[in-house]
Amino acid sequence: MIKMISYTISFILMTLGIYTVLAKENLIKKIIGLTIFTNGIHLFLIALGYFQTTQTKIAPILTTLNTPIAETFANPLPQALVLTSIVIDLSITALAAALIIQIHKKFKTVSAKKLNRLKG
Amino acid sequence: MKNTISILVAFGFLFLFIFASTSIMPPENNVKDYYIQNALEKTGSANIVNSIIWDFRSYDTLGEETVLFAAIIAVFLVSHKKGLADKKKV
Amino acid sequence: MLSFFIIIIYLATGFLIPLIGLLKRKNSYIMALLASSIALIITIIAIPNVLFQGTIVKYMSGWPAPFGITLAVDSFNMIFISLATITNLMIVIYSKSRIKTWEVEYYSLLMLLFTGILGILHTGDLFNMYVFFEIMAISSYALVSFHKNKNALECAIKYLILGTFTSSFLLVGIALIYGITGTLTIANIAIIIASKKAIAVPIAFGLIFAGFAFKSSIAPFHYLKSDISQASMPQISAILASIVSMTAIYAILRLYFIIFNQIFIFNYILIVLGLLSMIIGSLMALKQKDILRMLGYSSIAQLGFVVLGFGMGAFVRQAYNAAIFHAINTVFIELLLFLTAGVLILKHNTSSLKELAGTGNKNKFLSIGFFVGAIANAGIPLTNGFASKWLLYTASLQINPIITLIAIFTSVITLAYSLKAYVVLFMSNTDTKKTILDKPTIIIITILISVCVALGIFYTAGLDISDISARSLLNRAQYIKEVLA
């Protein structure tokens, strides 16, 4: 039950992100929607790794108090994937922000509806 | 009009994801067991996530740094008036 | 693995060009040229290895198969790898005299784009494919906005938002696959999925397909392709239309044939999407008034043929050979068309047909090049387009004559608009001066014309190569055995 609640919250985040990218006109709001969407995916990935057995888990760091038995740790592999994905999304957001600044300088607007020079 | 289509599409995806995630089962032979058991003796790191990023899957980390580098060059390309090597000589 | 050194060379060059280009700008071109030439030589040496050994596998950092990242190259891979290295060398030589400012950023981003392309072509691991796909994507977003005029900036931001949106669906699909199977190596996933009957498997495949399909511009995802072709430089449009689309189609097919082999309805979907791309591409190209948009829609139609071939292959085995051969031909034809038209476009700084009318009158060499490209696009005998299209027609006759009818209809319309573009550009009655071509451009266009005509006359050689690679594409058991051994 807790499993489905965690997954559903991350799916709600993804849905809000998708809605923002599709429905809003302002380019900056679209980029924010994109960030919400990808953060929902990261939450889904980490929750996926956590709920694979029913024991309570601790963070995957080996100290003097615990031994490397596989069942007591949370899954470290999705955490590594999410770290890589966060950096990739950061780079895309930076590039999008730079492009939007240049668009504002040239077009004097950041509304996606007014960018229609390419037609047909 | 655009609002309603976007809401319908977004909620369609929500139900698709919920439907899909009902069948995620814990697999028996998971790769993570190998990582947790062998991280300390084979890579010498106590932090298992670090041993995955820097040793088991270091090729992915190389790719991620390349993405960061390409984005830096791209931001430079888009923002500045002069290029990286645009000086008066040559 | 010898061809892994190509990735290292492109990656190192991409990182070193800003460092060495700071001293002197011309160094960036020399470094890019050196890297591309060495990569082409390594590819030519590596081809016989792959042909003799079957599948070559490399375990990165030495970790055994399901626990580390594996690279796997077989004959199906090798064709696209060689196409990518040849394309890189041609684009670098072509750009020498046409990029006069910001060379450092241009050559660096070009090398990183091809690093991403070759990374996808080599890998045998699902998340690794996503990371290199993002390298390719970010470099292409930056290169589309290169000249920073209004069209390019608008097109780049639209491309970025849509591209990142669909890449995120790819990531959701990868997350679902990891949730079901617990591993990320493609060969290992193939073994585990065969025994699980989960409803999430077709949903995950649909999401992964949507993620790759936007970059490959097949039919319902073709919306931005012509805008991108119009707004970016001709050589960047050539890369995006030819090798980037082929890499995305390669990724979809590799994942389908190894992992998702039991979803048989995907073949029908490929046939329908192929027919849709052919119809939409050719009909929309007919009414364009802008040469780059016309070539963009034309590339959508050619990709429709390739996808149709891969869909029909489940029913007629020869269609796989035809599809791979047509993929090779499409890369060369698109390069020839875009680069030849690009000479005139960059010289006169416009791409609308009305303003470019008759600008190629005095250039006999360019007119021969564009003419060969135009008739090869349509599939006239003696060019390479004819052999692959003829095989596709005969294969489709055995399935349903309607498919043959639509394919021939598309070829006729392709001939119509290609010849219309040729007549407007090269035979109109205007008074123009001759465009002086420098030597590298003449060499490149000569090579492309001779490849097109040679593959048309000696088509049996091309069909044999396609047969070898189709056999290794379908040989799922050997791929899994070699990777997990």
Side-chain angles (χ1 to χ4, degrees):
Chain A
M1 187 55 197
I2 301 283
K3 188 164 78 163
M4 281 316 290
I5 292 181
S6 312
Y7 288 158
T8 312
I9 293 182
S10 71
F11 294 147
I12 290 180
L13 266 182
M14 286 197 232
T15 311
L16 291 174
I18 294 178
Y19 169 73
T20 315
V21 173
L22 291 178
K24 301 288 184 185
E25 266 180 33
N26 197 342
L27 280 177
I28 300 185
K29 291 188 186 175
K30 284 188 197 265
I31 301 295
I32 295 180
L34 218 49
T35 311
I36 297 178
F37 183 31
T38 49
N39 282 340
I41 298 179
H42 299 155
L43 201 56
F44 175 57
L45 257 175
I46 298 186
L48 194 80
Y50 190 80
F51 284 112
Q52 284 182 326
T53 62
T54 47
Q55 288 177 311
T56 39
K57 308 266 194 6
I58 54 179
I61 299 182
L62 300 165
T63 60
T64 49
L65 297 175
N66 45 22
T67 53
I69 304 175
E71 298 296 313
T72 54
F73 287 107
N75 195 348
L77 183 60
Q79 303 182 8
L81 304 182
V82 163
L83 276 172
T84 303
S85 184
I86 289 179
V87 173
I88 293 178
D89 291 319
L90 160 81
S91 318
I92 291 182
T93 310
L95 180 57
L99 276 173
I100 291 180
I101 292 179
Q102 287 299 112
I103 286 182
H104 182 75
K105 274 190 199 159
K106 288 221 159 37
F107 283 87
K108 301 286 183 290
T109 171
V110 273
S111 157
K113 223 181 233 188
K114 305 244 173 60
L115 296 177
N116 50 4
R117 287 171 56 104
L118 299 168
K119 282 193 269 283
Chain B
M1 180 64 179
K2 190 159 104 151
N3 257 345
T4 43
I5 294 183
S6 319
I7 293 183
L8 285 176
V9 166
F11 274 93
F13 277 119
L14 175 66
F15 292 128
L16 186 75
F17 293 148
I18 293 184
F19 186 53
S21 76
T22 54
S23 68
I24 296 180
M25 308 167 252
E28 309 84 35
N29 41 355
N30 205 340
V31 178
K32 71 172 167 90
D33 301 332
Y34 183 85
Y35 291 150
I36 294 178
Q37 281 157 6
N38 294 331
L40 191 53
E41 37 185 78
K42 290 212 176 145
T43 59
S45 148
N47 193 342
I48 309 181
V49 183
N50 256 355
S51 76
I52 295 183
I53 294 181
W54 291 107
D55 208 332
F56 290 104
R57 298 191 134 251
S58 48
Y59 193 40
D60 280 346
T61 312
L62 178 66
E64 159 201 339
E65 301 306 322
T66 311
V67 173
L68 199 54
F69 184 74
I72 292 176
I73 298 270
V75 167
F76 208 83
L77 171 70
V78 169
S79 312
H80 276 250
K81 284 193 188 146
K82 285 196 195 293
L84 264 180
D86 263 332
K87 295 188 183 48
K88 280 304 166 63
K89 33 183 181 169
V90 173
Chain C
M1 173 190 279
L2 200 52
S3 50
F4 176 62
F5 286 108
I6 305 178
I7 302 183
I8 298 182
I9 289 178
Y10 283 156
L11 193 61
T13 314
F15 280 123
L16 282 177
I17 283 182
L19 193 61
I20 300 191
L22 272 177
L23 308 172
K24 198 174 153 147
R25 256 191 305 181
K26 286 214 195 73
N27 283 346
S28 46
Y29 169 70
I30 298 177
M31 284 186 61
L33 187 63
L34 206 59
S36 310
S37 326
I38 297 181
L40 188 60
I41 296 177
I42 293 184
T43 311
I44 297 179
I45 299 180
I47 290 182
N49 272 356
V50 175
L51 285 178
F52 289 147
Q53 274 181 264
T55 311
I56 303 186
V57 171
K58 177 180 170 72
Y59 301 115
M60 296 302 294
S61 315
W63 301 105
F67 310 118
I69 298 178
T70 58
L71 305 182
V73 173
D74 53 0
S75 321
F76 184 53
N77 269 342
M78 209 58 203
I79 287 193
F80 293 108
I81 293 175
S82 17
L83 284 176
T85 33
I86 295 176
T87 311
N88 191 9
L89 185 59
M90 288 195 192
I91 299 284
V92 165
I93 297 181
Y94 182 84
S95 317
K96 170 183 184 192
S97 54
R98 294 181 171 87
I99 302 287
K100 297 191 178 51
T101 68
W102 301 85
E103 291 108 336
V104 171
E105 285 88 348
Y106 177 78
Y107 286 111
S108 171
L109 283 168
L110 196 63
M111 288 294 133
L112 289 176
L113 174 66
F114 278 95
T115 308
I117 291 175
L118 284 168
I120 299 177
L121 291 174
H122 280 271
T123 183
D125 181 277
L126 206 55
F127 190 70
N128 201 17
M129 212 181 252
Y130 170 73
V131 171
F132 279 97
F133 189 69
E134 290 298 318
I135 298 181
M136 180 176 90
I138 281 203
S139 312
S140 67
Y141 304 149
L143 281 174
V144 163
S145 74
F146 187 73
H147 278 308
K148 299 193 280 287
N149 46 352
K150 281 190 175 182
N151 277 350
L153 283 178
E154 163 196 344
C155 183
I157 191 66
K158 284 185 186 173
Y159 187 31
L160 189 147
I161 293 179
L162 277 179
T164 312
F165 192 56
T166 49
S167 290
S168 308
F169 283 122
L170 178 61
L171 193 56
V172 179
I174 292 179
L176 280 174
I177 294 285
Y178 178 70
I180 299 173
T181 56
T183 173
L184 284 172
T185 313
I186 294 181
N188 212 8
I189 297 176
I191 296 183
I192 297 180
I193 267 193
S195 56
K196 286 194 191 270
K197 289 277 178 229
I199 191 63
V201 171
I203 297 180
F205 181 55
L207 290 169
I208 293 180
F209 174 68
F212 281 118
F214 175 71
K215 277 283 183 301
S216 74
S217 316
I218 49 186
F221 305 95
H222 67 285
Y223 159 64
L224 260 193
K225 186 55 181 284
S226 60
D227 287 346
I228 297 173
S229 296
Q230 181 185 9
S232 51
M233 294 180 286
Q235 62 261 34
I236 302 297
S237 306
I239 299 179
L240 287 176
S242 60
I243 196 68
V244 168
S245 312
M246 289 307 162
T247 305
I249 291 183
Y250 160 80
I252 297 173
L253 288 171
R254 177 67 82 187
L255 292 179
Y256 175 67
F257 279 104
I258 305 284
I259 303 181
F260 298 101
N261 214 359
Q262 65 268 29
I263 304 178
F264 191 72
I265 197 173
F266 186 60
N267 296 313
Y268 293 102
I269 295 180
L270 276 182
I271 295 181
V272 167
L273 291 185
L275 290 174
L276 204 59
S277 311
M278 284 168 11
I279 299 176
I280 293 181
S282 49
L283 285 180
M284 292 293 286
L286 202 50
K287 60 181 193 130
Q288 295 301 322
K289 301 185 180 43
D290 186 310
I291 180 70
L292 279 177
R293 290 187 78 96
M294 182 188 285
L295 290 176
Y297 277 115
S298 163
S299 75
I300 297 178
Q302 296 306 312
L303 279 163
F305 272 105
V306 174
V307 166
L308 177 73
F310 278 116
M312 289 195 302
F315 310 104
V316 178
R317 166 71 176 80
Q318 263 66 28
Y320 285 130
N321 302 354
I324 296 178
F325 192 32
H326 197 73
I328 302 176
N329 294 342
T330 303
V331 169
F332 286 118
I333 295 173
E334 297 297 331
L335 271 179
L336 181 56
L337 283 173
F338 271 104
L339 293 183
T340 318
V343 172
L344 298 173
I345 294 173
L346 286 171
K347 184 77 194 309
H348 298 272
N349 214 7
T350 172
S351 66
S352 88
L353 275 175
K354 201 174 288 194
E355 297 171 25
L356 281 177
T359 46
N361 273 345
K362 305 258 173 55
N363 280 64
K364 287 288 182 294
F365 187 67
L366 277 184
S367 68
I368 297 178
F370 197 84
F371 185 67
V372 169
I375 62 175
N377 210 3
I380 305 292
L382 277 192
T383 56
N384 52 357
F386 173 66
S388 49
K389 282 196 181 178
W390 183 253
L391 205 54
L392 280 172
Y393 297 153
T394 50
S396 63
L397 262 180
Q398 301 175 20
I399 301 179
N400 200 347
I402 300 183
I403 303 180
T404 321
L405 213 59
I406 298 181
I408 297 185
F409 176 67
T410 307
S411 299
V412 167
I413 297 191
T414 310
L415 186 62
Y417 64 72
S418 308
L419 282 184
K420 163 181 150 186
Y422 173 71
V423 162
V424 166
L425 281 181
F426 292 98
M427 283 178 22
S428 296
N429 270 339
T430 54
D431 196 19
T432 50
K433 300 201 302 198
K434 180 179 165 121
T435 313
I436 311 275
L437 296 175
D438 52 333
K439 253 215 179 82
T441 318
I442 297 184
I443 297 179
I444 292 178
I445 299 186
T446 317
I447 294 180
L448 282 172
I449 296 178
S450 37
V451 164
C452 283
V453 174
L455 275 179
I457 299 182
F458 303 111
Y459 62 90
T460 44
L463 285 178
D464 285 338
I465 300 177
S466 316
D467 193 40
I468 297 177
S469 54
R471 246 184 280 143
S472 79
L473 170 65
L474 298 171
N475 204 348
R476 181 174 176 254
Q478 196 205 352
Y479 180 90
I480 297 178
K481 183 170 72 91
E482 291 276 344
V483 169
L484 291 180

